[in-house]
Amino acid sequence: MIRALLIYNARLVDESIDTPGAVLAIDDKIRAVYTGYFTNRKTVESLALSVLAEDGYGNCAIEYHDAGGLTLTPAFIDMHAHLRYPGQTQKEDLNTGLHAAAAGGFGSIVAMPNTTPVISSRDMALGIDGEASSFRLTNLIQSVSITKDFGGSDISHLDLLDPLRIPLITEDGHEVESAAVMLNAMRKAAKLGLIVGCHCEDPSLAAAAKPYRQEALKTMEAYHLTAWGGSADEDDIPDIVLDKIEMLLTQANDLLAVAENTATVRNIALAREAGCHVHIAHVSTAAAMDAVRAAKDNIRDEEADYAADEADAAYDASIDGTRYTPAPRAEESFHVTCEVTPHHLALCGTDEPFIRALVNPPLRSEDDRVVLLEGLRDGTVDVISTDHAPHTLEDKAGGAPGFTGFETAYAVCNTILVEGGQLGAKRLSQLMSANPARILHLNKGQLTAGYDADLVLTDPEERWTVDSTKFKSKGKATPFDGTMLTGKVRELFIGGKKVL
């Protein structure tokens, strides 16, 4: 039976529009978008019935949903999340992870492959996608490792991947140490049309940073300091202890900054050589952002030069009366995109207490944070991703890096970016919906007829205080616990069906 949903009395926001209006969905697709103040049920009924009659649906039941002035946007899409499934279900499982994603307004998420076992085959990835679909919640796209079992050498499994089902490969949480192996993997990816997601961190420099973190953790444990910032008895801790922890973590973070910067430059260079699409995960330093910006500028310059040369050649051919044949384009598929996380946008890692909030990559300096914000404004940054990384509190106390991110992502971004005057609601929708949809080749992310009816209703003005004990996720460690934020996810629709 045909299903129809009409959401009216809403503020419609996507990358292109910000206007009062209504959206009609038939089955799982957006059928029509109306702009204007539609607050009266009878008015919108006539609109819906007219379209349904035009489509030949005479006796279709319509669900009318009064948004009450809330903001209706395309559901968010997270290109970087950890569901810990299979094998690490004490941290998260499909049930809790998908419910947490839905609570955060995410219609689709890409799950990382660093599970137990590592997701290193087409069948494993598609099997998890199938399990997730049975929950009828957020859509799951399971990514696959670049090297088999993160072993660093075998990439034969990549030959069987279909980019329409598994669009992204990544060694997330690791780096492919061998440049030769990475180059060969990128060449395969270019041939198959796969995106290569890079957690840019030089392994040898990361290893050099580890002892400093471990020593800092020993001291933190002795004084019951959490690994996500703050402590109940922090005021009683001697300054000399806090200074020691800060010194050790600064030494670690300085090495990890160099690790990110050098690996980012390497991976972009390899992607250029291979002619593939490289997606740089969780950019956190000014130098890494500059490397991405420079690569994008070079691509634009090359495209402009190519267009100019071809225009000249076409003109010369018309004058000479000869046939014009376009020249082949070198490195045509080389493409660079990047993401940043809400926590790197919001928090300064050189200040108390967030220098002790352990995450990979670390929270950076205020100068780095400002450069990330500039990357959002000038278009260098394509996507905001959560890097949702749930841990047990015991694991966090032992120094496991990462935060729970689904259920605070929209509010953090709305507070810091929109309320903070860094960018508008349309640009935020682009970063959280339209751009990731384009990168992943999903028919989502826009309030446009024909697109999937994955929609989220938010109240961008609602103020609330984060209480991690109420998270749907098993992971409760967040640096935003107790923080007042502005912007709340209220309802989520997947394929035109309300799931939250």
Side-chain angles (χ1 to χ4, degrees):
M1 181 178 178
I2 299 299
R3 293 182 293 106
L5 168 70
L6 183 62
I7 303 175
Y8 67 100
N9 193 16
R11 173 192 174 194
L12 308 183
V13 174
D14 70 4
E15 67 173 356
S16 302
I17 61 172
D18 185 349
T19 180
V23 170
L24 173 66
I26 298 179
D27 284 340
D28 60 350
K29 296 287 189 291
I30 296 173
R31 173 60 180 84
V33 178
Y34 309 97
T35 59
Y37 289 93
F38 296 99
T39 59
N40 184 284
R41 163 90 178 246
K42 288 189 176 181
T43 302
V44 295
E45 278 188 70
S46 63
L47 290 171
L49 291 172
S50 175
V51 170
L52 289 166
E54 179 183 326
D55 291 350
Y57 303 131
N59 297 313
C60 177
I62 307 172
E63 178 186 350
Y64 295 94
H65 194 89
D66 186 347
L70 296 177
T71 297
L72 182 68
T73 73
F76 311 133
I77 299 170
D78 192 350
M79 286 189 63
H80 192 143
H82 300 265
L83 291 192
R84 310 303 191 193
Y85 182 83
Q88 301 168 23
T89 53
Q90 75 279 11
K91 301 180 181 182
E92 196 79 284
D93 56 41
L94 287 181
N95 180 49
T96 58
L98 292 172
H99 275 90
F106 289 93
S108 300
I109 58 174
V110 178
M112 296 296 102
N114 55 336
T115 53
T116 307
V118 176
I119 308 300
S120 293
S121 76
R122 174 193 61 188
D123 291 344
M124 291 173 70
L126 297 182
I128 292 171
D129 288 351
E131 288 184 64
S133 66
S134 67
F135 288 90
R136 302 183 184 278
L137 289 167
T138 298
N139 302 301
L140 174 62
I141 300 169
Q142 177 61 61
S143 64
V144 166
S145 65
I146 296 173
T147 67
K148 184 175 176 57
D149 299 328
F150 289 164
S153 59
D154 185 355
I155 57 173
S156 60
H157 60 289
L158 301 181
D159 295 322
L160 301 177
L161 301 187
D162 176 358
L164 296 179
R165 302 292 302 276
I166 304 168
L168 185 141
I169 58 174
T170 178
E171 211 85 341
D172 190 76
H174 301 74
E175 179 67 271
V176 178
E177 188 164 4
S178 167
V181 172
M182 182 62 115
L183 179 60
N184 286 334
M186 286 181 165
R187 284 173 171 158
K188 282 180 180 281
K191 182 178 179 181
L192 294 167
L194 300 169
I195 304 161
V196 180
C198 290
H199 176 121
C200 295
E201 186 179 78
D202 179 88
S204 61
L205 290 168
K210 191 172 182 179
Y212 295 109
R213 264 195 178 179
Q214 289 176 330
E215 184 63 25
L217 273 167
K218 289 180 183 178
T219 307
M220 289 166 62
E221 289 171 15
Y223 286 88
H224 309 292
L225 288 163
T226 69
W228 58 97
S231 172
D233 56 357
E234 184 176 346
D235 292 339
D236 299 327
I237 300 174
D239 288 343
I240 191 171
V241 173
L242 295 176
D243 290 345
K244 176 185 177 182
I245 294 169
E246 181 176 347
M247 179 193 69
L248 290 166
L249 291 177
T250 298
Q251 289 176 297
N253 292 347
D254 287 348
L255 286 168
L256 291 172
V258 180
E260 178 176 347
N261 298 340
T262 55
T264 300
V265 171
R266 184 201 81 156
N267 288 331
I268 291 173
L270 293 175
R272 172 178 285 279
E273 179 66 25
C276 80
H277 178 171
V278 63
H279 180 76
I280 308 298
H282 43 50
V283 176
S284 70
T285 70
M289 184 64 69
D290 288 343
V292 173
R293 182 181 289 107
K296 289 188 169 194
D297 287 344
N298 287 338
I299 291 171
R300 281 191 289 268
D301 289 346
E302 290 164 2
E303 289 174 346
D305 289 344
Y306 173 83
D309 290 344
E310 289 305 290
D312 289 344
Y315 176 77
D316 291 343
S318 68
I319 296 298
D320 297 340
T322 58
R323 182 176 179 178
Y324 162 65
T325 302
R329 295 189 62 176
E331 299 175 345
E332 188 171 10
S333 59
F334 173 52
H335 190 45
V336 180
T337 54
C338 77
E339 67 187 40
V340 294
T341 73
H343 48 272
H344 287 110
L345 292 171
L347 304 175
C348 175
T350 56
D351 295 339
E352 288 288 345
F354 297 118
I355 192 167
R356 290 181 268 110
L358 299 187
V359 63
N360 276 349
L363 299 177
R364 303 297 189 184
S365 71
E366 183 64 11
D367 288 344
D368 289 312
R369 193 180 77 88
V370 167
V371 170
L372 299 189
L373 293 172
E374 179 60 28
L376 290 176
R377 291 192 297 269
D378 69 15
T380 302
V381 176
D382 302 278
V383 173
I384 294 175
S385 297
T386 68
D387 195 9
H388 174 77
H391 293 283
T392 65
L393 294 181
E394 292 76 17
D395 284 343
K396 282 300 294 181
F403 306 137
T404 298
F406 286 146
E407 293 165 83
T408 56
Y410 165 70
V412 170
C413 292
N414 184 64
T415 303
I416 299 299
L417 303 177
V418 180
E419 291 291 304
Q422 297 291 332
L423 47 81
K426 291 195 294 185
R427 173 63 171 150
L428 180 59
S429 180
Q430 183 179 65
L431 290 160
M432 295 187 72
S433 301
N435 279 353
R438 268 191 285 269
I439 291 169
L440 296 168
H441 303 293
L442 303 177
N443 186 43
K444 304 176 188 292
Q446 297 182 45
L447 298 180
T448 303
Y451 279 70
D452 292 350
D454 292 358
L455 308 166
V456 61
L457 276 170
T458 69
D459 184 344
E461 297 179 358
E462 181 175 345
R463 293 175 65 80
W464 61 288
T465 300
V466 178
D467 181 354
S468 63
T469 65
K470 296 180 180 178
F471 284 173
K472 302 291 186 183
S473 172
K474 290 183 180 180
K476 309 301 180 186
T478 169
F480 301 107
D481 206 16
T483 301
M484 181 170 285
L485 300 174
T486 304
K488 187 75 170 175
V489 172
R490 299 286 289 274
E491 299 179 60
L492 177 67
F493 301 82
I494 302 293
K497 291 183 178 179
K498 184 178 176 180
V499 299
L500 174 70

